Amino acid sequence: MKPVCAPTVTSKALLAPASGDRRAPTSALQAGARGRIAGQPGFVLHSYPYKETSLIIDMFSRDHGRVALIAKGAKRPHSALRGVLQTFQPLSVSWTGKSELRTLTGAEWVGGMLPLEKTALLCGFYLNELLVKLLARDDPHARLFDHYVAALNQLAHGESAPIVLRKFERALLKETGVATDLTTCTATRLAVDPQQHYVVDPERGPRPACAADVWPRVLGQTLLDMERGDYGAGATQTQSKHLMRFLLAHQLGGAPLNTRQILIDLMQL
């Protein structure tokens, strides 16, 4: 039996600008210039101990990107932060400071999101590892924050994990400016043929596959489906998995993704 659905939280619910402008609000930018941020929507990506009673938090914020925060005293038994700074929980966070390591001054649980469990939980940690390894610090990505919130909601509500992951991987490459156009062949400058096989140059885009290629071969239909975000076809799911693994490895410079290896071993995602 599926769990009773909690109200689906969206980034708009997490203090998104009322006007619909996807950029950071002017007030937030001005506050950032002064080194004081209040009530910023965010998620904990990772944390680790600092000295005896504190934590270093890698926070993904909507309007300020990834920021490193020191949570002083968060490990103390009676700290108000102890049960709040959990992964995959929508937070409203405040901090001060202009250096690379700021000081967390407040964090409140926003609520409205089901917890991740079992395979969905591993998938969530995979998303977090991608963000930690591929996002630069202090580089705002409001649309990517929206994609992250949507992906967590979809995983929590039992949607197909491979499809959720492929959509987020593609959004991550697009929003960080390293994704290529999958609809145009770089060799001919013509539209991709759905029936032809291609390989995708990570820096340039698709070109016709040849016998000597060691890169993943994919049908043009798969590339068109990926560009539309349509992963319904079985061939598209299989081919996009191998293609995205290849493209992400290029961006990571060969650095391994620990959570993905666990997922590969368990679920072949």
Side-chain angles (χ1 to χ4, degrees):
M1 180 181 296
K2 290 187 177 180
V4 176
C5 294
T8 301
V9 68
T10 67
S11 63
K12 289 185 178 180
L14 296 176
L15 308 183
S19 65
D21 190 346
R22 311 313 292 177
R23 298 169 296 177
T26 302
S27 58
L29 294 173
Q30 291 172 343
R34 296 192 298 268
R36 183 175 300 152
I37 303 298
Q40 175 66 199
F43 286 84
V44 173
L45 295 178
H46 180 64
S47 66
Y48 53 91
Y50 179 72
K51 297 185 177 179
E52 293 185 359
T53 62
S54 300
L55 293 171
I56 301 293
I57 307 294
D58 200 335
M59 186 75 69
F60 184 31
S61 68
R62 188 185 190 282
D63 298 317
H64 301 271
R66 276 182 62 223
V67 291
L69 306 173
I70 179 171
K72 295 182 178 179
K75 292 172 61 182
R76 290 179 179 144
H78 301 294
S79 170
L81 296 173
R82 187 177 179 89
V84 175
L85 297 174
Q86 305 295 321
T87 51
F88 316 122
Q89 295 300 315
L91 303 175
S92 175
V93 295
S94 304
W95 67 82
T96 61
K98 296 182 181 179
S99 63
E100 184 176 357
L101 182 61
R102 283 85 155 185
T103 300
L104 182 70
T105 57
E108 296 180 359
W109 180 60
V110 175
M113 183 176 287
L114 286 172
L116 299 184
E117 298 178 343
K118 300 180 181 178
T119 301
L121 182 61
L122 287 174
C123 290
F125 282 119
Y126 170 66
L127 300 185
N128 284 7
E129 187 175 8
L130 284 177
L131 291 172
V132 168
K133 291 187 174 179
L134 290 175
L135 279 189
R137 287 266 174 81
D138 301 309
D139 188 11
H141 288 284
R143 282 193 295 264
L144 184 58
F145 187 90
D146 295 348
H147 285 294
Y148 179 74
V149 173
L152 293 185
N153 273 313
Q154 290 159 6
L155 289 170
H157 285 83
E159 296 191 26
S160 171
I163 294 176
V164 173
L165 297 186
R166 296 299 87 77
K167 288 182 177 181
F168 183 80
E169 290 164 347
R170 180 69 180 155
L172 175 59
L173 296 186
K174 280 185 174 182
E175 295 303 326
T176 53
V178 296
T180 59
D181 176 17
L182 298 181
T183 64
T184 302
C185 175
T186 58
T188 64
R189 307 311 303 170
L190 298 175
V192 161
D193 182 347
Q195 303 304 317
Q196 185 169 347
H197 281 92
Y198 295 86
V199 294
V200 179
D201 186 318
E203 302 293 335
R204 300 182 60 198
R207 64 167 174 76
C210 60
D213 281 322
V214 295
W215 292 349
R217 295 164 58 95
V218 297
L219 278 170
Q221 185 62 58
T222 293
L223 298 178
L224 297 174
D225 288 345
M226 291 175 66
E227 196 67 35
R228 291 194 303 266
D230 180 2
Y231 293 84
T236 297
Q237 292 184 32
T238 300
Q239 294 178 10
S240 65
K241 174 179 67 176
H242 296 296
L243 176 58
M244 290 309 305
R245 191 177 301 172
F246 166 71
L247 295 177
L248 287 169
H250 176 79
Q251 298 302 327
L252 290 163
L257 286 167
N258 299 322
T259 48
R260 182 170 64 190
Q261 188 56 53
I262 295 172
L263 287 168
I264 290 172
D265 293 341
L266 290 178
M267 298 289 295
Q268 290 297 306
L269 295 175

